[in-house]
């Protein structure tokens, strides 16, 4: 069997329950991982408010996103005045070290020249935070593209070249959970390497309670760390689909000669091995014993549970990189990824799924919505769904269990603590998948065995 | 008093903050949010979507790039007793090529296909920011599709930047008014009402409807909670519009008065006092002794049923301080009263969309020293919460992390909640919500500084 891309039942012109969000959301999330930075959306007030609400529903942490707050006048005459007023007020109110300006469909459509407006502002202001600009109209790409664009814009503005620092590694992990961010940094450090991980929202979006309000939560990749990225020994970009021409890793390679290693998201033994091998090569050290032990326990658990998962059929959806990594992991444990779907449209999903899940007969759908996924899933006779909370309707319609992974998870607590990366994250994900299937078996069984 | 706060208030925001008892209330409200202030408000589109969303047998199509539809997909607690079409998110998902060449053809095809697939009773087409800019004639497309499919296809002029959330309410009311007057009203009795501005969050409209029906008043339509297109068509046959909330559907009530001669009264269903008044005002309007007697009986019975439980909560909550930040100011009035019922004091009260009269009324209602806020933001809320030593914040999901990070209780009173907080039974739910957060044992672990003088 090979990978197939089939037309869906009916190709509706409308999106019905989208399997994606808009570009500026991803940009705002990425900017929240930079120390002292605040995102500013150049557009209507609603964009920032809706995106704040959506991100808060997942992370359950403060998420302040400023807006230039277009009115009718700005839509006709241009938003320069509004944007400059917003920059001034955000600087005064939040004392940020950086303001990340991102456009919206509105400011892009009226053709505001944001770089020029920023120059005008910096020319007048006596002192001001660092300003970056990402072009993120919501009609181009998805939230993941916005995430990638914002990271690249920051690296573009700040990263400097310099003497190659053999002990420094850049890690650009994509939209992973704060717990995964924390673990990735730990892994790199355990190889004796220093790490600039961008964006590092581990603390800002999963932090402790406060005694006093923080205007901007502490934590994040520092501006100095971002400056140093141009002199790192390598960039590990955990993305299978991102075009280096649009990514921060690609920019660091072409402008500063930092080699870019594109890896799959490190879900599963194979992908985690690759990450650790890369770090081993960069550090000249062998994989620390602790990780070898972790890997050993993971393999042991694979063996203990293999019969419960073998030949089960999974529907996987979400951002393309996540879908690819999950499909690879599923194949590793004997689960068949029968349907892999994404609202993203890099054009690479089918090829990548064929690479990581050959001989699975996987149906691959890119640029689809949840209703299309639902139609295809009915035909795929799956046993479980793996993806975000947005698959709940699908799960209820098809009476199938849903293992929540990715973004958003806003019908459960603990989205920030969902781990999937490395042997440790894989262990957690594996246990959740197996236990979901066992619970299903108990629920569907009249006897309800209490001992399995 | 209180901890030292290093959060500055922007100069241009000063006129939207008032401390009661310190001079006359001159709130500089009803204006566009200050750029860069991180307002908690949304946009015109949001206002329209809030009002129309619960109409459960209509098709709701958002014309624009994907975000606006994605962020409003099934996020509200508006329940339907039948069709669930409103919980689907439909978007024309405009792409770069559509922006260049126009989105009319895509919109037309989308509408025709969706109407064929889902057989809605009517369709609403929401314009988003860029629709006007790229020159799409949404009115013309709606007319064309309406002629082809035989259902009302109604444009909603909700471009995000074209005003505030309130303008979105107006756009939605104008859209609904196109349906009103198109249904048969021959069998509607004199003692009949429409319920306006009630969105059936957690089944609230059902609770309210039940009270009115027990009184002896027929409810012709609920707009828009558990709403149905055919009920709305005959809404002009009701004798009275009972309008909740200061902003969202007042315009429709005014339009119906002008166009169909239906008078209206303002009510609120939150808290014992306001809920009771909402029943008495309707009885009063009809000058009907039987209705008034029934209303009194309902109030007596319902209040008696909830008082034992309320007293328990009140004993635990007595003397605690609350901060209230709502969308409309009317809800803030009700909350101040409800909190008083629970023995609590309101120390901060604000709204996104209040007008000068609303703030005057709020000032009159609150104790001296209460901080009133118009169109506030996270930093100001945090500053004043710390300054006043509030124990509880009432707001929506956007306000929740401010409370939780600072280690104080929170009650969700926005449209995303799933709990019924209206009516007498809703008052108990409200008290339970407040109690279960305020009196949770978890707060003993949080590091919040509580140095405020009592």
């Amino acid at each position: 069997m090979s990978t197939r891309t089939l037309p869906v039942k009916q190709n509706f012109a409308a999106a019905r329950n989208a399997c994606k969000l808009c570009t500026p959301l991803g940009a705002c999330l990425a900017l929240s991982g930079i120390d002292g930075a605040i995102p500013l959306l150049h557009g209507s007030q609603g964009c920032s408010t809706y995106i704040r609400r959506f991100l808060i529903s997942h992370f359950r942490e403060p998420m302040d996103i400023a807006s230039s707050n277009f009115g009718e006048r700005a839509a006709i005459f241009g938003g320069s005045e509004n944007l400059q007023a917003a920059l001034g007020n955000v600087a005064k109110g939040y004392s940020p070290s950086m303001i990340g300006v991102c456009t919206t469909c509105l400011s892009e459509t009226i053709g505001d020249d944001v770089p020029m407006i920023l120059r005008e502002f910096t020319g007048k202001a006596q002192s001001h935070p660092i300003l970056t600009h990402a072009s993120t109209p919501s009609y181009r790409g998805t939230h993941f593209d916005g995430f990638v664009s914002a990271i690249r814009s920051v690296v573009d503005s700040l990263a400097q070249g310099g003497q190659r620092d053999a002990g420094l590694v850049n890690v650009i992990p994509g939209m992973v959970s704060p717990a995964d961010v924390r673990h990735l940094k730990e892994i790199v450090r355990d190889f004796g390497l220093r790490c600039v991980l961008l964006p590092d929202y581990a603390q800002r979006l999963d932090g402790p309670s406060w005694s006093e309000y923080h205007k901007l939560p502490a934590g994040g990749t520092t501006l100095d760390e971002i400056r140093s990225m141009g002199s790192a020994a390598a960039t590990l970009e955990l993305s299978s689909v991102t075009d280096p021409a649009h990514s921060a890793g690609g920019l660091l390679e072409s402008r500063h000669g930092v080699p870019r290693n594109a890896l799959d998201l490190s879900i599963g033994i194979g992908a985690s091995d690759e990450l650790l091998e890369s770090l081993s090569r960069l550090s000249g050290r062998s994989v620390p014993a602790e990780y070898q032990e972790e890997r050993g326990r993971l393999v042991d658990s694979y063996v203990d549970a293999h019969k419960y998962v073998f030949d089960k059929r999974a529907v996987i959806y979400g951002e393309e990189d996540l879908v690819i990594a999950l499909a690879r992991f599923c194949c590793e444990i004997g689960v068949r990824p029968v349907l892999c779907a994404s609202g993203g449209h890099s054009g690479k999903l089918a090829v990548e799924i064929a690479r990581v899940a050959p001989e699975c007969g996987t149906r691959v759908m890119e640029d689809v919505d949840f209703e299309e996924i639902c139609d295809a899933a009915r035909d795929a006779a799956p046993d479980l769904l793996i993806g975000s909370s947005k698959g709940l309707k699908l799960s209820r319609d098809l009476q199938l269990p849903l293992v929540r992974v990715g973004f958003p998870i806003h019908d459960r607590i603990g989205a920030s603590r969902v781990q999937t990366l490395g042997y440790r994250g894989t262990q957690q994900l594996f246990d959740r998948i197996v236990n979901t299937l066992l619970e299903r078996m108990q629920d569907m069984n009249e006897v309800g065995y209490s001992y399995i | 008093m209180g901890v030292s706060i290093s959060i500055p208030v922007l100069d241009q925001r000063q006129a939207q903050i008032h401390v009661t008892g310190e001079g006359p209330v001159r709130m500089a409200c009803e204006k566009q949010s200050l750029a860069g202030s991180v307002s908690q408000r949304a946009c015109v589109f949001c206002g329209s979507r809030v009002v129309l969303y619960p109409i459960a047998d209509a098709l709701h199509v958002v014309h624009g790039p994907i975000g606006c539809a994605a962020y409003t997909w099934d996020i509200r607690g508006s329940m339907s007793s039948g069709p669930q079409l409103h919980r689907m998110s439909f978007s024309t998902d405009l792409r770069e090529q559509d922006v260049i060449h126009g989105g009319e053809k895509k919109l037309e095809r989308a509408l025709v296909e969706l109407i064929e697939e889902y057989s809605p009773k009517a369709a609403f087409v929401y314009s988003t920011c860029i629709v006007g800019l790229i020159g799409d004639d949404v009115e013309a497309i709606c007319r064309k599709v309406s002629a082809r499919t035989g259902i009302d296809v109604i444009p909603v002029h909700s471009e995000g930047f074209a005003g505030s959330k309130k303008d979105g309410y107006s756009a939605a009311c104008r859209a609904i008014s196109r349906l009103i007057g198109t249904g048969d009203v021959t069998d509607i009795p004199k003692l009949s009402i429409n319920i306006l501005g009630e969105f059936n969050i957690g089944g609230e409209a059902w609770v309210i409807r039940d009270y009115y029906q027990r009184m002896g008043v027929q409810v012709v339509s609920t707009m828009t909670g558990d709403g149905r297109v055919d009920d709305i068509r005959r809404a002009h046959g009701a004798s009275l519009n009972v309008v909740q909330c200061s902003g969202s559907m007042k315009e429709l009530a005014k339009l119906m008065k002008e166009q169909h001669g239906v008078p209206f009264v303002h009510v609120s269903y939150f808290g014992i006092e306001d809920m009771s008044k909402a029943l008495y005002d309707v009885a009063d309007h009809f000058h009907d002794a039987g209705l008034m007697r029934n209303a009194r009986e309902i109030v007596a019975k319902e209040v008696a049923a909830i008082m034992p439980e309320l007293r328990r909560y009140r004993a635990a909550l007595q003397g605690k301080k609350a901060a209230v930040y709502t969308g409309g100011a009317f809800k803030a009035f009700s909350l101040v009263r409800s909190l008083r019922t629970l023995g609590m004091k309101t120390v901060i009260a604000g709204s996104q969309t209040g007008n000068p009269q609303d703030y005057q009324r709020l000032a009159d209602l609150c104790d001296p020293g209460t901080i009133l806020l118009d169109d506030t933001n996270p930093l100001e809320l945090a500053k004043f919460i710390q300054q006043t030593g509030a124990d509880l914040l009432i707001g929506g999901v956007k306000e929740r992390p401010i409370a939780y990070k600072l280690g104080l209780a929170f009650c969700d009173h926005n449209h995303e909640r799933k709990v019924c907080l209206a009516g007498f039974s809703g008052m108990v739910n409200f008290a339970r919500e407040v109690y279960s957060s305020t009196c949770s044992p978890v707060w003993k672990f949080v590091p919040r500084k509580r140095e405020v003088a009592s």
Side-chain angles (χ1 to χ4, degrees):
Chain A
M1 283 181 287
S2 61
T3 307
R4 332 169 268 154
T5 309
L6 294 176
V8 290
K9 199 167 77 181
Q10 188 193 339
N11 192 13
F12 278 79
R16 300 172 302 155
N17 298 344
C19 184
K20 61 176 175 181
L21 297 153
C22 76
T23 329
L25 178 137
C28 292
L29 175 57
L31 291 163
S32 303
I34 295 166
D35 185 34
I38 182 166
L40 195 172
L41 291 181
H42 187 34
S44 292
Q45 181 64 49
C47 307
S48 84
T49 304
Y50 273 129
I51 289 171
R52 286 176 62 209
R53 203 215 69 236
F54 203 89
L55 288 167
I56 288 170
S57 74
H58 175 90
F59 291 103
R60 298 170 189 269
E61 293 283 341
M63 172 62 70
D64 288 5
I65 300 169
S67 170
S68 62
N69 193 6
F70 261 74
E72 275 182 289
R73 208 176 156 272
I76 296 164
F77 299 108
S80 173
E81 205 178 300
N82 277 60
L83 181 53
Q84 295 197 48
L87 288 166
N89 286 328
V90 172
K92 248 184 261 167
Y94 285 85
S95 319
S97 56
M98 186 188 119
I99 302 175
V101 178
C102 309
T103 53
T104 59
C105 48
L106 176 56
S107 51
E108 291 276 351
T109 304
I110 67 168
D112 265 357
D113 184 346
V114 172
M116 197 193 76
I117 299 170
L118 297 188
R119 276 197 301 277
E120 205 174 311
F121 177 78
T122 54
K124 282 188 293 196
Q126 292 194 326
S127 67
H128 57 83
I130 284 170
L131 306 179
T132 62
H133 160 234
S135 168
T136 48
S138 44
Y139 51 73
R140 191 188 303 146
T142 70
H143 60 294
F144 187 74
D145 299 298
F147 188 87
V148 172
S149 297
I151 297 171
R152 184 177 164 105
S153 74
V154 172
V155 169
D156 186 22
S157 304
L158 293 176
Q160 295 162 0
Q163 181 102 40
R164 193 69 51 234
D165 181 345
L168 183 68
V169 175
N170 303 322
V171 178
I172 301 178
M175 283 182 57
V176 302
S177 75
D180 276 333
V181 167
R182 239 172 257 131
H183 187 43
L184 282 173
K185 287 195 294 185
E186 184 188 354
I187 294 174
V188 177
R189 283 172 196 154
D190 285 344
F191 278 86
L193 295 164
R194 282 169 291 114
C195 165
V196 177
L197 186 144
L198 182 68
D200 178 0
Y201 40 64
Q203 194 180 346
R204 233 170 116 161
L205 297 183
D206 188 23
S209 290
W210 297 334
S211 57
E212 277 181 85
Y213 203 75
H214 300 193
K215 288 191 282 191
L216 288 171
T221 321
T222 66
L223 300 183
D224 279 340
E225 284 177 319
I226 299 170
R227 289 190 185 101
S228 75
M229 289 175 89
S231 57
T235 303
L236 304 183
E237 208 157 43
L238 306 189
S239 177
S240 324
V241 298
T242 304
D243 184 344
H246 300 130
S247 81
L251 183 82
L252 288 164
E253 186 168 63
S254 60
R255 189 181 292 171
H256 301 297
V258 182
R260 171 183 185 261
N261 298 359
L263 298 168
D264 291 338
L265 274 172
S266 322
I267 305 176
I269 290 175
S272 299
D273 284 350
E274 284 168 14
L275 173 69
L276 268 58
E277 279 158 18
S278 296
L279 292 169
S280 184
R281 205 171 47 246
L282 288 165
S283 64
R285 295 192 189 185
S286 55
V287 174
E290 187 192 336
Y291 290 88
Q292 292 177 26
E293 285 163 21
E294 218 165 45
R295 186 183 193 279
R297 289 194 295 273
L298 179 59
V299 172
D300 192 59
S301 72
Y302 275 16
V303 172
D304 288 341
H306 72 277
K307 285 198 177 180
Y308 305 124
V309 297
F310 184 74
D311 225 17
K312 296 291 183 199
R313 302 163 68 85
V315 169
I316 303 168
Y317 58 84
E319 292 89 28
E320 290 162 286
D321 283 335
L322 179 65
V323 169
I324 292 160
L326 287 169
R328 182 174 177 184
F329 165 64
C330 281
C331 288
E332 202 170 72
I333 59 173
V335 170
R336 287 174 59 189
V338 286
L339 174 61
C340 286
S342 179
H345 34 89
S346 69
K348 296 178 187 164
L349 188 62
V351 173
E352 290 295 311
I353 294 292
R355 172 177 66 84
V356 301
E359 310 300 318
C360 285
T362 306
R363 181 167 177 192
V364 180
M365 302 169 80
E366 70 166 44
D367 197 5
V368 287
D369 57 45
F370 274 101
E371 290 305 292
E372 290 166 317
I373 296 172
C374 193
D375 287 341
R378 276 180 218 283
D379 299 336
D383 298 294
L384 83 159
L385 311 171
I386 308 175
S388 71
S389 291
K390 288 301 182 195
L392 182 68
K393 181 174 181 292
L394 182 61
S395 156
R396 287 170 75 101
D397 286 355
L398 302 183
Q399 302 266 300
L400 288 171
L402 166 62
V403 176
R404 286 170 178 77
V405 177
F407 176 87
I409 298 175
H410 50 197
D411 62 342
R412 289 289 183 276
I413 206 86
S416 294
R417 297 179 288 279
V418 170
Q419 261 190 285
T420 59
L421 302 187
Y423 304 128
R424 199 180 302 167
T426 303
Q427 183 73 72
Q428 293 202 5
L429 178 61
F430 178 72
D431 290 347
R432 286 174 64 209
I433 288 174
V434 176
N435 287 331
T436 300
L437 290 167
L438 289 178
E439 192 177 335
R440 173 82 166 172
M441 190 173 84
Q442 280 175 323
D443 289 349
M444 305 296 282
N445 184 305
E446 278 180 26
V447 181
Y449 300 106
S450 65
Y451 170 85
I452 295 171
Chain B
M1 67 177 198
V3 292
S4 62
I5 313 295
S6 58
I7 298 171
V9 171
L10 295 169
D11 294 343
Q12 300 102 306
R13 287 273 321 140
Q14 298 284 0
Q16 283 163 280
I17 300 167
H18 175 81
V19 182
T20 56
E22 295 183 4
V25 186
R26 290 200 196 94
M27 199 68 110
C29 49
E30 292 193 299
K31 62 178 197 181
Q32 208 181 353
S33 304
L34 179 64
S37 69
V38 192
S39 166
Q40 305 291 84
R41 283 180 184 168
C43 57
V44 179
F45 166 75
C46 174
S48 293
R49 194 85 172 98
V50 161
V51 169
L52 298 173
Y53 174 94
I55 304 175
D57 57 356
L59 181 77
H60 301 265
V61 179
V62 182
H63 186 36
I66 199 64
C68 309
Y71 303 128
T72 53
W73 172 21
D74 197 24
I75 60 164
R76 288 171 86 202
S78 292
M79 299 171 75
S80 165
S81 54
Q84 304 288 332
L85 190 55
H86 64 305
R87 297 180 60 197
M88 296 279 288
S89 163
F90 299 113
S91 166
T92 48
D93 188 11
L94 294 182
R95 309 288 175 92
E96 196 151 18
Q97 287 305 308
D98 303 316
V99 174
I100 295 165
H101 302 295
E104 290 183 1
K105 284 208 171 67
K106 195 171 188 184
L107 174 62
E108 184 181 348
R109 203 186 126 201
L111 282 168
V112 169
E113 287 170 355
L114 293 171
I115 291 166
E116 191 180 322
E117 177 80 6
Y118 297 98
S119 309
K121 294 278 187 183
F124 293 103
V125 180
Y126 303 75
S127 291
T128 60
C129 283
I130 63 168
V131 167
L133 300 175
I134 64 175
D136 281 3
D137 187 347
V138 176
E139 285 270 359
I141 299 293
C142 288
R143 274 197 303 276
K144 197 170 162 190
V145 176
S146 190
R148 180 167 163 188
T149 59
I151 68 163
D152 283 300
V153 180
I154 302 168
V156 187
H157 297 289
S158 53
E159 287 86 348
F161 62 85
S164 70
K165 191 171 168 185
K166 267 189 178 176
D167 297 294
Y169 295 151
S170 300
C173 288
R174 290 195 300 276
I176 293 179
S177 73
R178 294 201 191 193
L179 289 172
I180 291 170
T182 59
D184 177 25
V185 296
T186 47
D187 63 343
I188 297 175
K190 182 174 168 290
L191 295 181
S192 59
I193 58 170
N194 297 307
I195 297 176
L196 267 62
E198 165 50 59
F199 303 111
N200 204 31
I201 311 292
E204 286 173 347
W206 298 331
V207 170
I208 307 305
R209 188 182 264 260
D210 175 62
Y211 296 149
Y212 284 124
Q213 282 171 346
R214 275 158 61 193
M215 265 172 69
V217 178
Q218 185 177 327
V219 179
V220 178
S221 75
T222 311
M223 289 188 262
T224 55
D226 197 14
R228 297 293 182 277
V229 170
D230 285 345
D231 292 341
I232 295 170
R233 290 185 187 285
R234 58 204 289 272
H236 60 294
S239 304
L240 177 68
N241 280 330
V242 183
V243 190
Q244 187 180 224
C245 192
S246 52
S248 69
M249 297 198 82
K250 199 166 164 182
E251 173 133 350
L252 184 68
K254 282 185 187 160
L255 280 173
M256 286 180 72
K257 191 173 178 191
E258 284 164 22
Q259 293 171 359
H260 305 284
V262 184
F264 62 89
V265 290
H266 279 300
V267 298
S268 168
Y269 305 119
F270 298 116
I272 293 175
E273 289 168 84
D274 288 359
M275 182 64 239
S276 307
K277 190 169 183 301
L279 300 184
Y280 296 146
D281 285 355
V282 169
D284 256 347
H285 172 84
F286 287 109
H287 303 295
D288 185 302
L291 283 188
M292 186 55 87
R293 195 172 53 244
N294 293 347
R296 288 211 178 94
E297 269 173 29
I298 291 169
V299 171
K301 189 177 162 213
E302 297 285 336
V303 171
I306 63 171
M307 278 322 281
E309 198 173 346
L310 279 188
R311 277 194 205 99
R312 257 196 313 123
Y313 298 134
R314 187 186 161 98
L317 295 168
Q318 188 76 44
K320 303 260 188 205
K321 292 182 274 190
V324 171
Y325 189 63
T326 59
F330 264 55
K331 194 190 276 179
F333 305 154
S334 294
L335 286 172
V336 172
R337 290 195 197 96
S338 297
L339 288 162
R340 236 170 233 161
T341 307
L342 297 177
M344 295 177 72
K345 185 183 166 185
T346 303
V347 291
I348 299 170
S351 80
Q352 291 175 15
T353 57
N355 63 31
Q357 296 78 37
D358 295 336
Y359 286 112
Q360 183 61 56
R361 215 172 133 187
L362 199 53
D364 295 343
L365 189 63
C366 291
D367 295 333
T370 305
I371 295 166
L372 304 189
L373 301 168
D374 176 62
D375 186 21
T376 192
N377 52 63
L379 293 185
E380 289 173 6
L381 275 172
K383 177 189 179 77
F384 294 120
I385 283 170
Q386 293 184 113
Q387 192 174 306
T388 55
D391 301 289
L392 166 78
L393 173 63
I394 302 180
V397 171
K398 292 188 301 291
E399 287 82 28
R400 187 178 61 198
I402 302 167
Y404 286 175
K405 281 320 244 193
L406 280 176
L408 68 147
F410 176 75
C411 170
D412 188 349
H413 214 299
N414 208 347
H415 287 248
E416 293 165 36
R417 69 193 148 83
K418 309 294 182 275
V419 185
C420 166
L421 300 178
F424 301 104
S425 52
M427 178 63 198
V428 181
N429 293 338
F430 171 69
R432 199 179 295 129
E433 285 276 305
V434 170
Y435 170 76
S436 62
S437 188
T438 309
C439 298
S440 166
V442 300
W443 304 121
K444 66 174 177 283
F445 297 106
V446 302
R448 182 181 177 194
K449 287 180 187 166
R450 288 185 180 276
E451 299 159 9
V452 176
S454 55

